[in-house]
Amino acid sequence: MVKRILDLRLAEKREWPQTVLLKLRSDVEPLPEAAPGQFLQVRVDQSPATYLRRPVSIHFIDRERRELWLLVRKVGAGTRAMAEWPVQTRVNVIFPLGRPYTLPQSSTRERCLLVGGGIGTAPLLYLGRVLRQQGHQPVFLLGGRSAEDLIQLNEFEQYGELCLCTEDGSAGTKGLVTDHPVLQGPSPDRIYCCGPKPMMVAVARYARQKGIWCEVSLENTMACGIGACLCCVEDTVEGHRCVCQEGPVFNINQLKWQI
Amino acid sequence: MSLKNPVLTASGTFGYGREYTDFIDLSDLGGIIVKGTTLHPREGNAYPRMAETPSGMLNAVGLQNKGVDYFVAHIYPEVSQYDTQVLVNVSGSTVDDYVACAEKIQALDRIPAIELNVSCPNVKQGGMAFGVSCEGIASVVGAVRKVYHKHLMVKLSPNVTSIADIALAAEDAGADSVSLINTLLGMSIDAEKRRPRLSTVTGGLSGACVKPVALRMVWQVAKAVNIPVVGLGGISSATDAIEFLLAGASAVQIGTANFIDPAVSVKVVRGIEDYCERHHIGAVSSLTGALEI
């Protein structure tokens, strides 16, 4: 897929206490082809504190409206500045970047467990939609610290069953994603995961024990996003690999995690 | 060595060129300098290797590359097809490593020059030890000069007391040109965690924040030496590039700015052309050292 530098327009935004949904629209041309799990590099502004672009995963692509949705958690200078953009702001992005999630090649219906924690739930919406379109059965297992971390649920439930959990018990099952009863039931055919590293390690361990195919999406700190600077490397069984170019999605068998 | 325009892309910021072909036509550039290449493969430093700083970034990549033999077998066939000058940045831990690596690159017809990296701050014996003393730089440049007969560019470290003296030592030892500056040694700390942000604790600072230092050093070196000076350090626009030419550079390199705008190098080429047109300058070379004081 050819990478492009695009100027998009912030057409719509929705805010939660810690998170913002940004709907970026392409006014002049259709959005380039992109796949679930890929990401974009967003130019925040010209300020000294946000000198580099910010990598943000694709939350959803609405082709009819030519919209690219980003779900951004306000954690640092860049994400807070993005949350303050007024509607109509021109947003410069490099898109699409990285290796996407691997979709099932079989024509048989596969049961896919999509496990997300915190803002790591973001890329799973578009993944769920594409899996559903291809005739598979996505099940979303979404976790957060509290109920306010679990957002966009009405969007997720269009594409599959929802299993929720929170650490404080304010929504869904109380506990971590790995405590959820859905993991005690029949094994899924595949697990796709994105979230904080301790959560992904726990999910990878579960998958390894059960012998379930599993991919995780990493978010190592990066500068370029296109495989040039070699800053975002992950130690893999094949040596250092760029998360931006050879990831962000990796099969757990490629990683040197202690699982 | 002649360039079709004075804009090169800096080693370590432009991969092998192919990372940028979705965004620009490489033939619009004066040249590209490919990633630092060593005699033996190097895995580089542990993650984290990068920390953003005000108007810049620190890196501690540590010369990750697959070694010169891999370059010759797998990268050269591709880069030799580019319609632009392709230079190879050569790095090493010992004088013998530099010499052996340079000899292998010399055999490649379509590589008109090497850039000798005696200034990488990110590996224990990554060249900077050579680049911070006149004796050190003379030893490595002199040894490579004996075996390398094409254009020998030497990339200088700013982490020295008098960069003009180091540049003179490189010139005396046989350098055909010098490029400066490599990154400034820096550091970043996460106060909440009380931990350094880089696995190596210290790293190399680059980006717009280093430009005034780089410009000053280019000006000092250009006054001191009789060989061409290639300026780099925080160049993000044609105006930045022209400042370096006026300070005495014959050509410039675009580095960290490639990460922010992958098309910036060609914008700098076009911007220099526009400047020359506006100021009725026939040859861009007449800008070199044209600073009026």
Side-chain angles (χ1 to χ4, degrees), chain A residues 1-5 43 48-54 94 220-224 226-231 233 239-240, chain B residues 12-13 19-20 22-23 35 43-45 47 49-50 52-57 61 64 207-208 256 259-262:
Chain A
M1 277 173 269
V2 176
K3 304 176 183 92
R4 302 273 308 279
I5 305 172
R43 185 87 191 257
T50 55
Y51 183 64
L52 299 171
R53 288 176 184 263
R54 294 296 186 269
I94 310 175
N220 295 7
T221 310
M222 58 183 68
C224 71
I226 57 173
C229 71
L230 310 186
C231 288
V233 291
H240 284 142
Chain B
T13 68
E19 293 82 354
Y20 286 84
D22 281 353
F23 310 108
K35 176 77 191 147
E43 270 293 299
N45 292 321
Y47 178 84
R49 294 174 166 186
M50 194 279 286
E52 190 178 32
T53 59
S55 297
M57 59 176 274
V61 172
Q64 179 179 323
T256 302
F259 301 156
I260 296 150
D261 178 1

Side-chain angles (χ1 to χ4, degrees), chain A residues 32-79:
Chain A
E33 285 301 314
Q38 290 191 295
F39 69 101
L40 51 156
Q41 278 275 59
V42 180
R43 185 87 191 257
V44 180
D45 52 31
Q46 312 276 337
S47 88
T50 55
Y51 183 64
L52 299 171
R53 288 176 184 263
R54 294 296 186 269
V56 183
S57 63
I58 299 170
H59 179 45
F60 194 74
I61 297 176
D62 183 336
R63 292 229 153 259
E64 276 179 25
R65 290 172 180 250
R66 295 177 174 175
E67 275 180 3
L68 189 57
W69 297 7
L70 314 183
L71 199 58
V72 177
R73 192 176 172 94
K74 295 175 263 184
V75 288
T79 49

Side-chain angles (χ1 to χ4, degrees), chain B residues 183-265:
Chain B
T183 54
L184 283 149
L185 196 57
M187 185 169 172
S188 178
I189 292 174
D190 184 332
E192 294 299 320
K193 295 179 182 160
R194 303 187 186 187
R195 302 269 304 162
R197 289 188 196 274
L198 298 175
S199 68
T200 48
V201 185
T202 61
L205 182 67
S206 65
C209 61
V210 308
K211 197 191 98 181
V213 177
L215 199 55
R216 180 266 295 179
M217 289 187 161
V218 164
W219 180 66
Q220 289 178 325
V221 167
K223 284 192 300 179
V225 299
N226 291 312
I227 51 178
V229 174
V230 178
L232 72 150
I235 297 175
S236 315
S237 67
T239 307
D240 291 343
I242 289 159
E243 290 176 31
F244 277 79
L245 299 176
L246 293 172
S250 299
V252 295
Q253 296 179 17
I254 314 291
T256 302
N258 290 308
F259 301 156
I260 296 150
D261 178 1
V264 69
S265 52

